[in-house]
Amino acid sequence: MRSIWNGAISFGLVSIPIKLVNATESHSISFRQIHLADGGRIRYRKVCELDEEEVTSAEIGKAYEDADGSMIPISDDDLAQLPLPTAKTIEIVGFVPESSIDPLQLGSAYYISANGVPAAKPYTLLREALKRSEKVAVAKFALRGRERLGMVRVLGDVIALHGLLWPDEIRQPEGVAPETEVSIRDAELDLADALMDTLGEVELASLHDDYREAVEELIASKAAGGGELRAPEGAGERRGGKVLDLMAALESSVRAAKESRGEGSGTGTGAGAGAGAGDGDGDHAEVTHLPARKKSAGARKTASKAASKTASKKAPAKKASAAAKKTATGRTAAKKTASATAKKTTAKKAPARKRSA
């Protein structure tokens, strides 16, 4: 991999010659602007707004625009004279737990490579020291003309550098959270937990950019002289929207997620069961179907609770059935007793009739 920066890591009095290599790459597809009439490329030319003449890169400098619109020229020599100790050095200023770094601060990522054989031992020393401390190093470095903040951490057998935003570059989330008071019922939380358990975990390595693949297929088809690709079923339909019945949407999501995994459909639990059945004009939540997966422990626990509730509901019906059988048995016995008594009475009356005759 091609290095983008050469310098050193300053670790106290230890200086480690290193090279920086980009740790990430973009796979997004870029397009050119063209003239629709003839397909010609549209290009941008750098023109001075005073004399309206095109200028070359060698004729272009930099300046700071003041509040009144005036330009203050700043040359490369001016910047080179500034006291910037991190111009060619990644200076480690301290060590902190990785959890103390807010993910909002994370920026570009780089691999730090030892530059030459003599750098191998101090490089390995820093790597092993970071491993044993279970901390990350906070550093300052200069790249592309300005000083930056960074986080140095161990990644396998290499050391990685993450560019960080300065603390004052993180905006406060004012007005972002809902301003209205909302109460969440336990039944809604239970359904949300059940949905999370059903969806389970996901391997990030298994995810890919479906849109980019579709664009590549479209480009290949047009390059081969084919027509436009047929849009997949459901493409272009309105997604999202306001959920009118949260319980019904959660139950539908849990049921659809279970069906996609071949776990069978559930009827939902809690007070919201069947709650949105008659809302024909309401929006509904969409479910992204994932590959079949074994039931998680949480899902099995939820199913067990549901089965226990169902069994407890059926118990009164069984008791009622037993009582009905007992009552029917009593009635049968009473009929048999009455029949026997009638026969005895008839037998007693028969001799009296004969003597009378």
Side-chain angles (χ1 to χ4, degrees):
M1 292 185 285
R2 185 174 63 88
S3 63
I4 63 169
W5 185 90
N6 291 354
I9 292 181
S10 173
F11 177 34
L13 296 178
V14 178
S15 182
I16 311 171
I18 58 98
K19 296 184 293 184
L20 278 188
V21 178
N22 279 319
T24 62
E25 59 186 3
S26 175
H27 291 164
S28 61
I29 298 174
S30 59
F31 298 99
R32 302 291 189 185
Q33 290 186 328
I34 62 170
H35 186 197
L36 291 177
D38 53 20
R41 281 279 306 277
I42 302 297
R43 299 182 182 274
Y44 293 95
R45 302 182 186 277
K46 297 177 180 180
V47 177
C48 175
E49 64 179 17
L50 295 180
D51 54 24
E52 296 184 353
E53 292 184 1
E54 185 177 352
V55 294
T56 64
S57 298
E59 300 175 287
I60 299 175
K62 58 173 68 73
Y64 175 80
E65 184 175 3
D66 205 354
D68 59 0
S70 60
M71 296 295 178
I72 304 174
I74 302 292
S75 67
D76 291 338
D77 292 336
D78 294 332
L79 296 175
Q81 294 176 8
L82 293 177
L84 189 60
T86 56
K88 279 294 182 181
T89 304
I90 299 175
E91 181 184 356
I92 294 177
V93 297
F95 300 86
V96 298
E98 187 172 356
S99 59
S100 66
I101 304 293
D102 192 329
L104 285 175
Q105 288 186 257
L106 293 176
S108 302
Y110 310 92
Y111 292 132
I112 298 177
S113 171
N115 193 0
V117 176
K121 186 169 183 177
Y123 181 96
T124 305
L125 173 64
L126 175 60
R127 184 189 68 195
E128 296 305 312
L130 285 171
K131 279 184 180 179
R132 190 163 70 173
S133 70
E134 297 183 350
K135 293 183 177 181
V136 297
V138 176
K140 296 171 69 176
F141 66 104
L143 186 64
R144 298 187 179 94
R146 71 183 186 92
E147 190 172 58
R148 302 167 187 262
L149 190 64
M151 177 183 73
V152 179
R153 71 181 182 101
V154 176
L155 185 63
D157 292 331
V158 302
I159 301 175
L161 171 67
H162 295 267
L164 298 177
L165 296 174
W166 296 97
D168 60 358
E169 292 180 314
I170 303 296
R171 301 173 63 184
Q172 295 300 315
E174 297 176 358
V176 177
E179 297 180 357
T180 57
E181 293 187 3
V182 178
S183 60
I184 301 296
R185 293 179 293 169
D186 289 341
E188 293 169 338
L189 279 175
D190 291 342
L191 278 172
D193 289 341
L195 178 57
M196 292 170 65
D197 289 336
T198 304
L199 291 176
E201 298 180 356
V202 62
E203 295 181 5
L204 294 180
S206 67
L207 303 179
H208 57 278
D209 190 345
D210 294 322
Y211 178 77
R212 191 193 74 204
E213 291 180 357
V215 172
E216 290 173 347
E217 186 179 351
L218 172 64
I219 293 172
S221 175
K222 284 185 170 288
E228 296 184 359
L229 296 179
R230 182 179 179 182
E233 185 177 353
E237 294 181 357
R238 182 173 62 90
R239 301 177 65 88
K242 184 171 64 174
V243 178
L244 300 181
D245 193 323
L246 182 58
M247 290 291 288
L250 285 170
E251 288 171 349
S252 298
S253 299
V254 172
R255 184 165 53 250
K258 287 183 177 180
E259 289 175 353
S260 69
R261 284 165 171 70
E263 298 178 7
S265 61
T267 56
T269 60
D279 297 335
D281 56 347
D283 293 336
H284 64 280
E286 296 189 13
V287 177
T288 301
H289 299 289
L290 297 176
R293 198 191 319 271
K294 292 181 179 180
K295 283 186 178 179
S296 63
R300 288 195 295 269
K301 187 176 180 181
T302 304
S304 177
K305 287 182 179 179
S308 299
K309 289 182 179 180
T310 305
S312 62
K313 290 180 179 179
K314 291 183 178 180
K318 290 182 179 179
K319 290 180 179 179
S321 177
K325 289 181 180 180
K326 188 174 180 180
T327 302
T329 304
R331 289 176 180 173
T332 304
K335 288 181 179 180
K336 289 181 178 180
T337 303
S339 177
T341 303
K343 287 181 179 179
K344 287 181 180 180
T345 304
T346 303
K348 288 180 180 180
K349 290 181 179 181
R353 289 178 181 175
K354 287 183 180 179
R355 283 194 296 270
S356 175

